[in-house]
Amino acid sequence: QVRVVESGGGLVQPGGSLRLTCVAFGSIVNVNNMAWYRQAPGKERESVALITRGGNRNYSESVEGRFTVSRLNAKNTMYLQMNSLKPEDTAVYFCNADVIVSGWGRRDLWGQGTQVTVSS
């Protein structure tokens, strides 16, 4: 089954750090862009960070300088290092991956999400 799975969420105090991980599983030939999104209660889903297969990165203004996205192509894995966390970073974080699946072609995959809560 082709899917992406997030992990690493949890409860952290303001100013703390967390690292999220996203892994793409299945008969995947290639993973193109990978991205992190988040959705806070009562708000729309928003883009957080994107990384291309070649390593080019883009960040939302709200996380620039605090979050770092990286990936390990050999393991179809993406990370999000989150530092200096703020209460407004509280949300469900979702992984998105643009993949080529053997025998199926291009697919846009979304994970189930992992909860990040920043609170004292």
Side-chain angles (χ1 to χ4, degrees), residues 13-70:
Q13 292 186 345
S17 298
L18 281 175
R19 189 175 84 155
L20 305 184
T21 300
C22 169
V23 183
F25 293 98
S27 300
I28 294 172
V29 175
N30 190 54
V31 181
N32 299 316
N33 290 353
M34 299 184 80
W36 290 100
Y37 289 76
R38 67 185 182 187
Q39 187 167 19
K43 295 187 177 181
E44 293 187 354
R45 190 173 296 189
E46 63 174 357
S47 174
V48 175
L50 178 145
I51 183 167
T52 67
R53 184 170 181 81
N56 292 320
R57 301 169 173 85
N58 285 308
Y59 298 96
S60 68
E61 287 188 11
S62 61
V63 306
E64 180 82 51
R66 300 187 297 121
F67 290 10
T68 302
V69 63
S70 60

Side-chain angles (χ1 to χ4, degrees), residues 3 6 71:
R3 66 195 189 281
E6 308 97 335
R71 64 188 285 174

